[in-house]
Amino acid sequence: MTTRDFLRISMGLVATLVGATGMNPARGDEPRPIKLLIITGDQVSAHDWKATTKAMQDFLSAQGKIDVEATATPARDLNDANLAKYDVLLLNYRDTPAGPPETKWSDANKASFLKAVRGGKGLVVYHFASAAFVKPNWAEFETAIAGGWRTQGFHGPAHEFSVKPTDVKHPITEGLPSQFDHVKDELYQNSMLTPGSVVLLRAYSDPNKPRGTGKDEAVAWVNQYGEGRVFNCVLGHDAAAMSDPNFQVLMRHGVEWAATGKVSATK
């Protein structure tokens, strides 16, 4: 056998293996990036959703594991065909009377959203999004997002505070410190936890501060809605609060877990 024949046969075997396994020899056996859709828009004066959406797009996509897209026109994009493209949805949204028509969820939009999560799409609920659709209350949305601020939540002035994982062992909190000092942020208090919710992180509300409760308040938890995994995180009021590296790790883990049920790396 000549050298040329040997090389020809060897290359043929490699091509056969690539075709059979779907592996790309240039990339190795790397999984495809998780496809995330951030749902945002409307006009919320207390929350700069444009800045927080940009911040999340930047740090969630930084490692190449998450392919991040965003829509500020949910009226157009919350439909079965479009949502089928994504592994996980992230809510950075609250409806208000001031929002333009393209941000308003029709009954069909709402049905597609619930169908997607119930059918197995992951869901991440960020900060003020748990206050969406409360007047009047959309009860099924409240169940799907595992509660949160709703109408009974409150907070005092933004301040620095410590965050600590609970005793629950979970992929989202794996690799986080046993306690970490969080940057200046809003500490949501009295959040609603729907049945089955499992709290992963708490923060103590100092009673010596305005509106302090003197209790450990839930700031991140998980639940299930149908086949969909749900991660609710109330931290990260603005882009400055999102600069905390531990917050960024937490959100990356939350997105990956909601999409796949596991976390591939602890950082």
Side-chain angles (χ1 to χ4, degrees):
M1 180 183 295
T2 67
T3 300
R4 179 177 296 178
D5 290 336
F6 177 79
L7 290 173
R8 177 176 53 80
I9 293 171
S10 297
M11 291 302 294
L13 288 172
V14 169
T16 300
L17 286 172
V18 168
T21 64
M23 289 173 57
N24 183 339
R27 295 180 57 193
D29 194 17
E30 296 178 4
R32 68 168 178 80
I34 292 167
K35 292 191 68 65
L36 166 68
L37 178 66
I38 299 175
I39 302 168
T40 190
D42 217 319
Q43 302 300 324
V44 186
S45 59
H47 295 89
D48 188 349
W49 55 268
K50 293 180 180 179
T52 55
T53 296
K54 177 62 167 58
M56 283 191 283
Q57 286 178 302
D58 289 345
F59 74 75
L60 288 174
S61 64
Q63 296 181 343
K65 296 181 180 180
I66 304 172
D67 182 6
V68 186
E69 296 181 26
T71 176
T73 57
R76 183 185 67 199
D77 293 329
L78 293 192
N79 59 72
D80 293 353
N82 191 53
L83 294 182
K85 303 173 186 176
Y86 303 96
D87 304 304
V88 55
L89 312 175
L90 190 156
L91 291 175
N92 184 20
Y93 176 90
R94 182 186 175 203
D95 61 310
T96 75
E102 60 268 22
T103 71
K104 299 303 179 186
W105 295 26
S106 67
D107 288 344
N109 295 146
K110 293 178 178 181
S112 289
F113 169 77
L114 293 177
K115 178 182 176 182
V117 181
R118 192 187 296 116
K121 300 291 182 189
L123 176 63
V124 175
V125 184
Y126 154 72
H127 195 60
F128 73 111
S130 66
F133 304 110
V134 293
K135 295 179 181 180
N137 183 47
W138 177 13
E140 196 61 24
F141 177 81
E142 183 173 279
T143 298
I145 67 170
W149 178 278
R150 308 312 292 149
T151 57
Q152 80 297 320
F154 61 91
H155 64 76
H159 63 285
E160 297 178 2
F161 51 87
S162 293
V163 177
K164 54 187 177 184
T166 64
D167 292 334
V168 175
K169 301 297 183 184
H170 196 277
I172 290 177
T173 49
E174 185 178 353
L176 285 175
S178 58
Q179 181 168 317
F180 61 89
D181 293 330
H182 184 48
V183 298
K184 185 178 179 181
D185 199 353
E186 293 175 342
L187 174 52
Y188 277 20
Q189 297 162 147
N190 200 39
S191 290
M192 172 189 292
L193 299 178
T194 55
S197 293
V198 178
V199 178
L200 303 182
L201 291 169
R202 294 188 183 275
Y204 181 67
S205 175
D206 187 346
N208 295 315
K209 294 186 180 296
R211 309 200 76 184
T213 64
K215 299 188 300 183
D216 283 334
E217 299 287 347
V219 295
W221 59 93
V222 293
N223 208 328
Q224 193 91 9
Y225 181 70
E227 297 299 316
R229 289 172 290 271
V230 181
F231 172 58
N232 195 317
C233 179
V234 303
L235 300 174
H237 169 69
D238 54 19
M242 288 179 163
S243 66
D244 180 350
N246 286 306
F247 171 81
Q248 296 183 9
V249 169
L250 177 66
M251 291 296 287
R252 284 197 298 268
H253 285 192
V255 168
E256 187 172 359
W257 173 82
T260 69
K262 58 185 179 180
V263 173
S264 60
T266 58
K267 293 296 184 182

